[in-house]
Amino acid sequence: MTKFKKYVSILLSVSLIAGIAPTNVQANTVEDKENEVQMINTKAVENAKVETAPTESESPSENPSATPNVTASAEPSGTPEVSATPSATPDTTPSATPAIPSQGSVVVEADDVFVVTESSDGKTCTISGYKGNLAVTTLYLPKEIEKKEVTGIGANVFADCPYLKNVIFKSDLDIAPAAFATTVEFWAKSAGKAQAYAQSNAMIFHPLDSTASLTGKKDASFRKATLTWTVVQGASSYNLYRKKAKGKYALRKNVTASNSASALAMNCVEEKLEAGATYTYKVRPVFTTADGVSIEGVDSKEVAVALTPAKVKKLKAKGIRGGIQVRWARNKNVTGYQVYMKVHVKGFKTSFNRVKTIKKNKVTGYRCKMLVRGMKYSYRVRAFKTVKGKKIMGPFVTVTAKAK
């Protein structure tokens, strides 16, 4: 009995323990789940904070988020951030005054920099505008523009040229009032409209006159020529221009003016010329402005130098018994002479034929015999010079006489 009671007691204890155990397990399970959920939420919050809080070593993203950071800026969403530094946009408004020329002088000599107004007949024009370099310091005014003669200059044409100092006139032009500032200096031919304008406006005027005379003399060798011209007051040098036969002029050389105040003429020797050719020369004086610009004056008169024997001088013909005697003056610089003759026959056209070649310059006459008495005869005589085996001929001179 005692054992039975003890057995029953053990069973009851076991049953009681068995009945309590599930309850505790269930309770623990619910509590554990709640704790687990709480821990997960706590970790999630902590991880979110870690992800959203930037660290000091983290670099900013090169591609910013499209969503604006509300806490980083007080600007409303979608409004671009305005920089505190002003934009360095260049000023596109042009300056009213052209830049000072760095080279010290700007020379404009072209014809296409002017705006012109044509006359009603279309033959002349006036300068009414300027479209060239506004920094011009020396300006040439042309005689013609597009084959139309320039006759005048309008008012305020060069008002936007603050550095204009020298104006060169190639012809005599009418000048409108206020066409130029009083600081501009005129360079033109004396006694013209430019000088009158300058004097009435208290402006400086420089005469661009030509040399008074120009002469040329060939050398006995027919390979050289000497040019001589009178000096021009104020000229610093002279430009010598030359053309051969009917060619075009080209600058041959620049001759520095004499330093002597008493000098009245300038000389220049041309060498290595072609014997037999004809050269034509002209001279322009050159003046120098205060800023070192060279300005040419007016052309001199032309002079031609023919590198051929001169005309025979003092040519005469007279009838003698049975013929005609022809005589002329000696030329020491030639080799000899040629004589041509023709007979005048009424109703017939005759021509000259060479009748004599004289190879000594000392022989200065020719006697023609066996002529028809009372008949008229004409003679042409010319000198020649032999240069390197080539005969260089001079011009003919003609004389007429009747045979006796």
Side-chain angles (χ1 to χ4, degrees):
M1 187 68 179
T2 303
K3 290 182 178 181
F4 177 77
K5 291 180 177 180
K6 187 177 180 179
Y7 177 73
V8 171
S9 179
I10 292 171
L11 288 175
L12 290 173
S13 299
V14 171
S15 298
L16 182 60
I17 293 170
I20 295 172
T23 303
N24 292 337
V25 171
Q26 184 177 0
N28 291 337
T29 302
V30 173
E31 184 178 359
D32 291 340
K33 288 183 177 181
E34 291 179 353
N35 292 335
E36 183 177 359
V37 170
Q38 185 176 0
M39 291 178 63
I40 291 172
N41 292 335
T42 302
K43 288 182 178 181
V45 172
E46 291 178 352
N47 291 336
K49 290 181 178 181
V50 170
E51 291 176 357
T52 58
T55 61
E56 294 181 356
S57 61
E58 183 179 3
S59 301
S61 173
E62 293 181 357
N63 297 319
S65 172
T67 303
N69 189 350
V70 176
T71 59
S73 172
E75 296 290 337
S77 176
T79 302
E81 184 178 356
V82 179
S83 172
T85 304
S87 175
T89 304
D91 186 7
T92 57
T93 304
S95 175
T97 303
I100 298 175
S102 59
Q103 64 271 36
S105 62
V106 176
V107 180
V108 176
E109 198 172 354
D111 296 348
D112 58 358
V113 298
F114 300 102
V115 178
V116 298
T117 301
E118 295 184 11
S119 61
S120 58
D121 60 5
K123 296 180 180 180
T124 63
C125 65
T126 58
I127 296 175
S128 56
Y130 175 73
K131 55 185 178 179
N133 191 339
L134 297 181
V136 58
T137 58
T138 298
L139 178 68
Y140 283 79
L141 298 179
K143 185 177 181 180
E144 290 184 350
I145 296 179
E146 296 180 353
K147 297 183 179 180
K148 297 177 181 63
E149 180 186 359
V150 179
T151 59
I153 308 168
N156 301 317
V157 172
F158 306 104
D160 295 331
C161 302
Y163 309 112
L164 184 59
K165 182 66 175 177
N166 301 289
V167 176
I168 298 92
F169 292 79
K170 291 188 175 181
S171 60
D172 203 17
L173 306 179
D174 293 320
I175 307 173
F180 298 95
T182 57
T183 55
V184 174
E185 300 180 16
F186 281 1
W187 301 75
K189 193 173 182 179
S190 297
K193 298 173 183 178
Q195 184 175 11
Y197 183 94
Q199 291 175 346
S200 62
N201 290 275
M203 300 168 63
I204 298 176
F205 178 80
H206 303 274
L208 291 181
D209 297 328
S210 65
T211 180
S213 66
L214 171 65
T215 59
K217 184 179 180 181
K218 58 178 171 285
D219 185 76
S221 66
F222 292 178
R223 299 295 305 278
K224 297 181 182 180
T226 301
L227 287 305
T228 304
W229 61 89
T230 54
V231 300
V232 178
Q233 186 67 29
S236 58
S237 63
Y238 300 87
N239 283 339
L240 180 66
Y241 290 85
R242 185 186 80 183
K243 69 176 181 179
K244 182 180 178 181
K246 295 183 179 180
K248 295 182 178 180
Y249 273 109
L251 178 62
R252 177 62 177 168
K253 62 181 66 176
N254 176 265
V255 183
T256 304
S258 174
N259 294 327
S260 175
S262 60
L264 299 177
M266 295 288 299
N267 295 314
C268 177
V269 178
E270 283 274 84
E271 299 181 347
K272 298 181 179 180
L273 301 178
E274 180 184 343
T278 298
Y279 296 88
T280 306
Y281 295 88
K282 64 181 179 180
V283 172
R284 292 178 188 168
V286 179
F287 305 86
T288 304
T289 66
D291 53 355
V293 176
S294 295
I295 298 175
E296 286 191 327
V298 182
D299 287 343
S300 67
K301 292 183 178 180
E302 298 178 337
V303 61
V305 179
L307 299 179
T308 58
K311 293 180 180 180
V312 295
K313 297 179 180 180
K314 300 180 179 180
L315 178 64
K316 295 179 180 180
K318 70 176 183 177
I320 59 174
R321 183 175 292 184
I324 295 176
Q325 177 71 49
V326 183
R327 291 190 177 277
W328 59 88
R330 179 188 177 191
N331 185 345
K332 297 180 180 180
N333 296 324
V334 301
T335 303
Y337 313 93
Q338 289 183 341
V339 181
Y340 288 72
M341 182 189 76
K342 81 169 182 177
V343 60
H344 295 269
V345 180
K346 189 176 181 179
F348 291 90
K349 185 178 180 180
T350 58
S351 59
F352 281 96
N353 294 290
R354 189 171 65 189
V355 293
K356 185 67 175 179
T357 297
I358 302 170
K359 297 182 180 179
K360 294 181 179 181
N361 62 32
K362 292 181 180 181
V363 179
T364 58
Y366 171 71
R367 176 177 289 184
C368 189
K369 299 179 180 180
M370 305 296 291
L371 300 180
V372 179
R373 187 176 182 180
M375 186 73 72
K376 184 187 293 185
Y377 296 85
S378 290
Y379 294 87
R380 282 183 176 178
V381 182
R382 65 179 178 181
F384 67 89
K385 173 80 172 184
T386 303
V387 180
K388 295 183 177 180
K390 179 182 178 181
K391 284 184 179 180
I392 308 300
M393 300 298 181
F396 281 110
V397 179
T398 303
V399 68
T400 302
K402 287 183 178 181
K404 288 185 179 180

